[in-house]
Amino acid sequence: MDIKINRTPEDTLNYPLHTHKNYEIMHYTNGTGVMRTEKGDFSFSAGTVVIVPPHVLHGSTSAEGFVNVSIEWDFRGLLSLDAPFAIDGTEDGEGNALIEMIW
């Protein structure tokens, strides 16, 4: 499977609920809001990274708009998650370090 990379348009207010057959890793680069999932919600701000396992329903909302960059790929050899996982990348550059490793 090829890697799929996506960037939301500037000031996106809502990204509808959806699923993927592979992992999706999202890095929020701008804005604040909530990543809604069937297994719990996560607040996000610039620098937050969210990892969503395959087949988990998820989507993002923001009152003022957000931008994120996502990568979808078969990370099963590297990751083993049953539920989404969030990293607050605003402290100590944790989110940026993860994104640098992936890119």
Side-chain angles (χ1 to χ4, degrees), residues 65-98:
F66 70 92
V67 175
N68 77 19
V69 177
S70 65
I71 182 169
E72 179 192 347
W73 191 64
D74 182 7
F75 288 101
R76 284 177 282 216
L78 301 171
L79 300 172
S80 179
L81 300 173
D82 294 329
F85 178 78
I87 300 167
D88 179 4
T90 57
E91 294 184 25
D92 300 327
E94 292 171 339
N96 291 333
L98 177 62

Side-chain angles (χ1 to χ4, degrees), residues 27-33 44-49 67 88-91 96:
H27 180 224
Y28 290 88
T29 62
N30 191 22
T32 61
F44 66 79
S45 60
T48 301
V49 173
V67 175
D88 179 4
T90 57
E91 294 184 25
N96 291 333

Side-chain angles (χ1 to χ4, degrees), residues 13 21 54 57 89:
L13 297 176
K21 68 177 188 173
L57 190 65

Side-chain angles (χ1 to χ4, degrees), residues 2 4-5 7 13 19 24-25 27 32 42-43 48 56 69 83 85 103:
D2 293 330
K4 293 181 184 177
I5 298 173
R7 182 181 185 275
L13 297 176
T19 64
E24 183 176 26
I25 300 175
H27 180 224
T32 61
F42 300 91
S43 295
T48 301
V56 172
V69 177
F85 178 78
W103 300 128

